[in-house]
């Protein structure tokens, strides 16, 4: 196939030759993945992570170039991360910045240049984790800077002080097994921080995306903001739709195995929590569906087993994060009308496409090129198996990541990508050869300004007068 073949030309050829009546969807965009992260030395690098992406139907990933507190500039951070990814990716890719030292020079001088010349038009901010946590004042300054540049601001919303208090109490009572990670980060910590993030954004009229949401109440805060036409977006992940905190409990053969399911926010306790998030999927509260692929090996002294200290489990020492870049698309596709009877399907195919591709493209400045099947777009496609074929029981042995487990072990899906096509090239052929793309074929994407998908700019915060901001902005 020709590299720059259009999506429609590619579909025409494939429909004649080998689509066999199967569904064709846009290549997935996973807009929240952690690859080659310094704080996760046993996790995936670009070769294994991007290989896993195309095997699961994802043709574009956006990963994180992470600034340390001691970094006075973002330029060396970017160059170092380019060095970790250059010529190593099987799929197309872009970067977000994680900001932890938002100096005035970075906000005024560096971000505009990096957005215009490098196409990095999104940042991620943390309200928790001491090495990365920002104050409300810092959050406001970054929101204002990003708003003026048309950048997307992503926020990890959990109340750090609540969590610190609970961890201190749990450790004092000897409750340090992996399961207590879910106790240490209760829903109320996410609820409060999400409401606060929305309030800060409303004050300065800034669009935000709250990442990896897991709480019904926090989701309700987002829904309420959206009904008031605030530009507030939300993301959730497979683990919060399919897994519960019981996976963190001891197993008969390995008391520490629950460490495999340590992530933040944590897995929640009740099936009702899962059902509430599925309602958010169905009613449009969630804008994007990402993996938050943040893996560490389990059976490794530098991975999850950092949480075994002198033979004693210490949940607070377990690296956070789960692998999921390869399983994301199939897990959600399995819940659509393509795989389930109409009365059992949780979402339609148009919603599936929006959540896994189209909305992420718009939100992160790839609209017009990625995320849709239309004239002028890259020929990034996923061809699924015809109905009744392609069923899979997910297992570690079938996956292509560089991690030694999957949290979705044993889950059954009724379809799996048969072909993944990136810019007209076949890069995954499940039946013949598996990953057939070449490492290094993936291109770095310089992105444009993100679009506001939910709500609009220009609203007036509750209780403020129409032109009140002009006195202080």
């Amino acid at each position: 196939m020709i590299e720059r073949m259009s999506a429609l030309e590619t579909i025409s050829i494939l429909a004649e030759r080998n689509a066999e009546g199967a569904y064709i969807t846009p290549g997935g965009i996973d807009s929240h993945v952690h690859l080659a992260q310094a704080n996760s030395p046993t996790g995936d690098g670009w070769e294994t992570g991007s290989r896993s992406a195309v095997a699961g139907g994802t043709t574009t990933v956006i990963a994180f170039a992470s600034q340390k507190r001691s970094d006075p500039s973002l330029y060396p951070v970017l160059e170092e991360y380019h060095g970790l990814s250059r010529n190593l990716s099987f799929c197309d890719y872009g970067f977000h910045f994680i900001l932890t030292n938002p100096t005035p020079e970075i906000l005024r001088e560096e971000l505009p240049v990096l957005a215009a010349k490098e196409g990095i038009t999104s940042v991620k901010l943390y309200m928790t984790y001491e090495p990365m946590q920002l104050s409300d004042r810092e959050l406001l300054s970054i929101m204002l800077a990003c708003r003026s540049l048309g950048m997307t601001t992503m926020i990890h919303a959990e109340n750090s002080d609540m969590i610190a208090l609970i961890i201190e109490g749990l450790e004092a009572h000897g409750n340090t097994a992996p399961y207590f990670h879910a106790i240490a980060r209760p829903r109320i910590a996410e609820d409060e921080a999400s409401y606060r993030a929305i309030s800060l954004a409303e004050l300065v009229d800034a669009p935000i995306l709250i990442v990896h949401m897991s709480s019904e109440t926090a989701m309700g805060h987002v829904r309420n903001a959206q009904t008031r036409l605030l530009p507030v977006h939300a993301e959730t992940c497979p683990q919060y739709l399919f897994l519960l905190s019981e996976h963190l409990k001891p197993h008969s053969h390995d008391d520490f195995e629950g460490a495999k399911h340590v992530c933040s926010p944590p897995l929640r306790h009740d099936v009702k929590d899962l059902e509430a998030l599925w309602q958010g999927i169905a009613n449009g509260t969630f804008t994007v569906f990402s993996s938050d692929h943040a893996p560490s090996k389990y059976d490794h002294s530098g991975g999850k087993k950092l949480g075994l200290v002198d033979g004693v489990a210490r949940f607070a020492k377990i690296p956070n994060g789960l692998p999921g870049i390869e399983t994301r698309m199939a897990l959600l596709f399995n819940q659509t009308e393509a795989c389930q009877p109409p009365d059992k399907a949780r979402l339609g195919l148009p919603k599936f496409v929006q959540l896994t591709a189209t909305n992420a493209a718009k939100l992160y400045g790839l609209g017009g090129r990625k995320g849709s099947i239309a004239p002028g777009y890259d020929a990034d496609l996923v061809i699924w198996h015809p109905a009744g074929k392609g069923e899979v029981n997910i297992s570690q042995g079938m996956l292509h990541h560089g991690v030694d487990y999957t949290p979705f072990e044993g889950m059954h899906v009724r379809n799996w990508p048969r072909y993944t096509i990136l810019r007209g090239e076949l890069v995954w052929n499940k039946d013949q050869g598996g990953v057939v793309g070449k490492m290094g074929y993936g291109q770095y994407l310089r992105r444009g300004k993100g679009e506001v998908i939910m709500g609009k700019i220009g609203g007036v915060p509750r209780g403020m007068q129409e032109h009140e901001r002009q006195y202080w902005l």
Side-chain angles (χ1 to χ4, degrees):
M1 295 180 185
I2 300 171
E3 180 177 334
R4 295 303 299 174
M5 186 182 295
S6 75
L8 295 182
E9 289 172 328
T10 303
I11 286 175
S12 177
I13 292 171
L14 290 167
E16 292 177 5
R17 294 181 181 175
N18 49 21
E20 297 181 7
Y23 287 103
I24 301 175
T25 61
I29 299 175
D30 196 343
S31 54
H32 190 154
V33 302
H34 298 267
L35 299 175
Q37 300 281 268
N39 63 354
S40 183
T42 69
D44 276 315
W46 277 90
E47 177 182 353
T48 56
S50 64
R51 180 183 67 199
S52 187
V54 298
T58 290
T59 52
T60 298
V61 300
I62 311 180
F64 295 94
S66 185
Q67 181 195 32
K68 298 186 291 290
R69 291 267 197 216
S70 57
D71 292 331
S73 169
L74 294 177
Y75 294 122
V77 175
L78 175 60
E79 185 52 40
E80 179 182 9
Y81 205 58
H82 269 308
L84 294 170
S85 59
R86 192 177 289 117
N87 299 321
L88 293 175
S89 186
F90 286 85
C91 64
D92 286 353
Y93 63 98
F95 301 154
H96 313 286
F97 274 122
I98 292 175
L99 291 185
T100 59
N101 183 25
T103 65
E105 291 74 23
I106 287 174
L107 299 184
R108 286 197 307 259
E109 299 170 16
E110 294 191 5
L111 281 186
V113 174
L114 290 164
K117 294 187 176 181
E118 290 288 338
I120 300 179
T121 53
S122 49
V123 299
K124 184 181 180 184
L125 316 176
Y126 285 86
M127 299 174 76
T128 187
Y129 296 139
E130 287 188 9
M132 296 181 281
Q133 180 188 356
L134 299 172
S135 68
D136 288 355
R137 182 67 181 82
E138 289 172 318
L139 293 171
L140 287 166
S141 295
I142 297 169
M143 287 179 187
L144 281 169
C146 289
R147 181 190 186 281
S148 68
L149 295 170
M151 297 179 70
T152 300
T153 303
M154 310 160 71
I155 299 178
H156 178 141
E158 289 183 287
N159 184 300
S160 189
D161 288 333
M162 286 185 183
I163 294 166
L165 174 73
I166 297 171
I167 290 176
E168 184 179 321
L170 287 169
E171 291 180 340
H173 287 83
N175 296 318
T176 60
Y179 175 71
F180 290 102
H181 173 77
I183 305 299
R185 309 179 89 95
R187 274 181 35 175
I188 193 171
E190 183 180 349
D191 301 341
E192 186 282 329
S194 297
Y195 184 84
R196 179 157 41 100
I198 292 168
S199 298
L200 296 173
E202 183 177 8
L203 177 70
V204 295
D205 192 27
I208 60 169
L209 169 81
I210 302 179
V211 297
H212 47 50
M213 299 195 75
S214 68
S215 164
E216 178 181 10
T217 301
M219 184 185 72
H221 295 327
V222 170
R223 187 69 174 170
N224 178 266
Q226 291 171 346
T227 60
R228 295 191 290 116
L229 299 183
L230 296 180
V232 176
H233 307 87
E235 168 199 273
T236 196
C237 309
Q239 53 267 36
Y240 303 119
L241 297 178
F242 295 102
L243 303 176
L244 292 169
S245 64
E246 62 188 27
H247 287 85
L248 292 156
K249 292 180 178 178
H251 294 249
S252 58
H253 62 286
D254 184 353
D255 287 346
F256 191 68
E257 192 170 3
K260 292 179 178 179
H261 291 86
V262 167
C263 58
S264 293
L267 305 183
R268 299 306 179 188
H269 303 308
D270 197 296
V271 173
K272 293 178 182 177
D273 293 310
L274 306 185
E275 291 301 321
L277 296 190
W278 277 114
Q279 290 180 20
I281 290 283
N283 67 22
T285 301
F286 289 113
T287 317
V288 292
F289 178 73
S290 305
S291 69
D292 190 14
H293 183 78
S296 292
K297 289 181 179 176
Y298 172 67
D299 194 16
H300 194 292
S301 60
K304 294 287 188 180
K305 289 192 174 177
L306 283 171
L308 279 176
V309 182
D310 296 327
V312 178
R314 301 284 183 183
F315 73 84
K317 303 293 185 182
I318 299 171
N320 278 234
L322 309 179
I325 196 171
E326 188 168 347
T327 49
R328 175 186 73 112
M329 294 281 282
L331 284 168
L332 194 63
F333 191 76
N334 186 57
Q335 300 298 317
T336 70
E337 57 203 7
C339 296
Q340 302 291 339
D343 60 329
K344 300 291 185 183
R346 292 183 180 272
L347 71 162
L349 283 166
K351 180 68 70 176
F352 169 83
V353 170
Q354 290 170 6
L355 288 166
T356 59
T358 308
N359 285 352
K362 293 178 178 178
L363 191 65
Y364 293 110
L366 293 171
R369 178 176 180 182
K370 300 287 189 181
S372 297
I373 300 173
Y377 282 70
D378 285 354
D380 295 353
L381 307 169
V382 179
I383 300 178
W384 301 83
H385 287 82
K389 298 181 180 181
E391 296 196 16
V392 164
N393 288 320
I394 295 172
S395 67
Q396 167 63 14
M398 63 173 279
L399 301 178
H400 297 77
H401 57 207
V403 192
D404 56 2
Y405 77 98
T406 171
F408 305 105
E409 185 75 38
M411 291 188 64
H412 181 77
V413 292
R414 296 185 178 182
N415 212 324
W416 191 271
R418 185 179 182 186
Y419 306 109
T420 304
I421 297 159
L422 171 60
R423 285 180 280 111
E425 284 287 329
L426 187 66
V427 294
W428 164 253
N429 183 338
K430 188 175 187 301
D431 303 324
Q432 298 179 29
V435 176
V436 295
K438 303 298 183 184
M439 184 176 69
Y441 179 66
Q443 295 180 350
Y444 174 71
L445 302 171
R446 288 177 170 82
R447 297 177 287 123
K449 293 181 179 180
E451 298 179 36
V452 172
I453 299 174
M454 305 298 297
K456 60 182 182 179
I457 301 291
V460 178
R462 289 172 292 186
M464 288 176 61
Q465 300 175 82
E466 183 74 25
H467 303 294
E468 199 166 321
R469 285 197 192 96
Q470 70 184 19
Y471 294 112
W472 51 271
L473 272 183

